[in-house]
Amino acid sequence: MFYREAGDFKTSYVEDSQTFPIKFDRYRYYFVLVCAFAVVPFVINDYWVNAIFMPFLIYSIAAIGLNILVGYCGQVSLGTGGFMAVGAYGCYKLMTAFPDVSIFFHIIAAGGITALVGVLFGLPSLRIKGFYLAVATLAAQFFLVWLFNRVPWFYNYSASGQISAPERTIFGIEVTGANTEAWATYLFCLVFTVASAIVARNLTRGAQGRKWMAIRDMDIAAEIIGVDPLKAKLSAFAVSSFFVGISGALFFAVYLGAVEVGEAFGINKSFLVLFMVIIGGLGSIFGSFAGAAFLVLLPVLLKNVLVAGLGWPTDLAAHLEFMIVGALIIAFLIAEPHGLAQLWRVMKEKLRLWPFPH
């Protein structure tokens, strides 16, 4: 009843198969986009951007990329942190080598470089799967971190071993460096997040997405009906790594400004993004946003309630966060494997029928 579907008729296949076939859904998402682009930039400050909005936007892109690989194609990956590092270092080398080119194109090119690396490390998926593929991608994680640590060319022979983002502008407004405005960095990340979500949504709803899901459900049956496992698996690795590389480039250039690969892109980062996908929901673009929002907001909530409000020690609140995340992952895997996205779908169906029970 809340949706008011009476009179919302479909007169073509295009209308019936659109992303949001219910008019109320479309208006709600349009409203969210208008608020995100036209309202939020005028009311946020540095704390809100650095603590909540930018981590949420960047991790959402990483979760979308990993969800394409794990949720839609069924290929387990534990190398997300390493691929984010590829995007970060690729962006850094492009920024220093081509200072006159826009940072916008540097980030996209960094995503392309990461896609090539992802295809290279995705080759074992043609012969192995499951736990063995997870170990192979975990090896990629450790190898990439070791590579960026041990080869001075990647950090331009800096004595500290760190990389720092030079100042770059978009339409005369700084988006990297020490003098950036909160609203500018927020809008810059928001553009990439919205574009990534639209591209990923259309890919997963099209022919390529159906091939990925066929491989996920049963690769032998998919091959029998004409799906090429080579192209399907490697394309999933490429697209996934492209989004993860973009998130890594944004994480380095716009959010942190300076990183050391072992601290910023270690194995903890891989597990963090994987937890976002599991809690949010495998095989769901909305689930990627929900999982990212949950794991970004949870530490902030615990810090404000337990540390600032109740006076608990900071380390105790941090340990409690690990306990809560672990318990939620176990609970979702047992009770609701499709995560927060499935809970949202069930709630929408109940709202469509309310106050009727069926």
Side-chain angles (χ1 to χ4, degrees):
M1 297 293 290
F2 282 104
Y3 276 83
R4 305 295 182 192
E5 293 184 61
D8 190 4
F9 302 113
K10 310 296 185 298
T11 57
S12 67
Y13 286 112
V14 175
E15 291 180 353
D16 194 44
S17 61
Q18 58 188 330
T19 302
F20 304 114
I22 300 175
K23 189 179 296 184
F24 182 85
D25 277 341
R26 290 199 300 275
Y27 290 161
R28 186 180 69 240
Y29 280 93
Y30 293 155
F31 175 76
V32 170
L33 286 177
V34 169
C35 289
F37 278 99
V39 177
V40 174
F42 296 100
V43 298
I44 55 175
N45 53 31
D46 289 338
Y47 172 77
W48 283 94
V49 169
N50 293 323
I52 296 176
F53 284 104
M54 271 213 291
F56 164 68
L57 295 174
I58 293 170
Y59 282 130
S60 295
I61 301 175
I64 288 172
L66 185 61
N67 216 337
I68 287 176
L69 185 62
V70 179
Y72 284 97
C73 196
Q75 308 302 303
V76 183
S77 174
L78 295 176
T80 309
F83 295 129
M84 289 181 70
V86 174
Y89 277 79
C91 181
Y92 172 69
K93 294 299 292 185
L94 291 171
M95 291 174 72
T96 53
F98 305 100
D100 297 329
V101 179
S102 172
I103 178 66
F104 183 85
F105 298 109
H106 286 157
I107 291 176
I108 295 177
I113 294 171
T114 313
L116 295 177
V117 176
V119 169
L120 178 64
F121 285 103
L123 290 174
S125 68
L126 306 177
R127 303 288 294 178
I128 58 177
K129 58 184 177 180
F131 173 76
Y132 302 99
L133 181 59
V135 173
T137 55
L138 187 62
Q141 162 74 38
F142 290 124
F143 171 75
L144 290 170
V145 171
W146 173 87
L147 181 69
F148 293 129
N149 260 328
R150 294 296 181 179
V151 181
W153 179 81
F154 287 110
Y155 49 84
N156 285 351
Y157 304 93
S158 170
S160 64
Q162 289 186 338
I163 56 175
S164 300
E167 293 184 358
R168 294 292 182 269
T169 61
I170 295 289
F171 302 116
I173 302 171
E174 290 191 10
V175 293
T176 65
N179 301 317
T180 56
E181 296 287 343
W183 64 269
T185 55
Y186 162 77
L187 282 177
F188 188 67
C189 292
L190 181 64
V191 168
F192 278 100
T193 304
V194 172
S196 300
I198 293 173
V199 171
R201 178 64 176 168
N202 283 280
L203 277 175
T204 53
R205 294 176 69 245
Q208 190 61 52
R210 293 186 177 91
K211 292 178 183 178
W212 291 339
M213 288 183 276
I215 292 292
R216 175 196 65 191
D217 294 338
M218 187 175 291
D219 52 354
I220 297 177
E223 189 174 5
I224 290 174
I225 64 175
V227 177
D228 188 348
L230 171 67
K231 294 180 180 178
K233 291 182 179 181
L234 292 186
S235 64
F237 269 95
V239 174
S240 170
S241 301
F242 176 78
F243 288 128
V244 171
I246 286 179
S247 69
L250 290 172
F251 191 73
F252 150 67
V254 182
Y255 181 47
L256 294 181
V259 299
E260 195 278 324
V261 63
E263 296 179 1
F265 303 109
I267 186 63
N268 291 338
K269 192 70 66 182
S270 298
F271 283 115
L272 177 63
V273 180
L274 181 62
F275 295 160
M276 291 177 180
V277 172
I278 293 174
I279 293 176
L282 292 168
S284 169
I285 301 300
F286 172 79
S288 303
F289 285 97
F294 183 85
L295 288 182
V296 168
L297 290 173
L298 180 62
V300 177
L301 178 64
L302 291 178
K303 183 177 180 181
N304 283 287
V305 173
L306 300 180
V307 178
L310 301 178
W312 287 22
T314 306
D315 56 344
L316 181 59
H319 293 158
L320 185 62
E321 175 194 345
F322 292 140
M323 294 171 62
I324 293 175
V325 172
L328 284 173
I329 290 173
I330 296 173
F332 275 113
L333 288 176
I334 295 175
E336 189 50 82
H338 295 290
L340 295 173
Q342 179 63 18
L343 297 179
W344 175 247
R345 280 192 290 265
V346 171
M347 186 176 71
K348 285 202 303 181
E349 288 300 318
K350 290 188 178 297
L351 287 176
R352 290 176 67 182
L353 298 174
W354 187 87
F356 304 108
H358 301 290

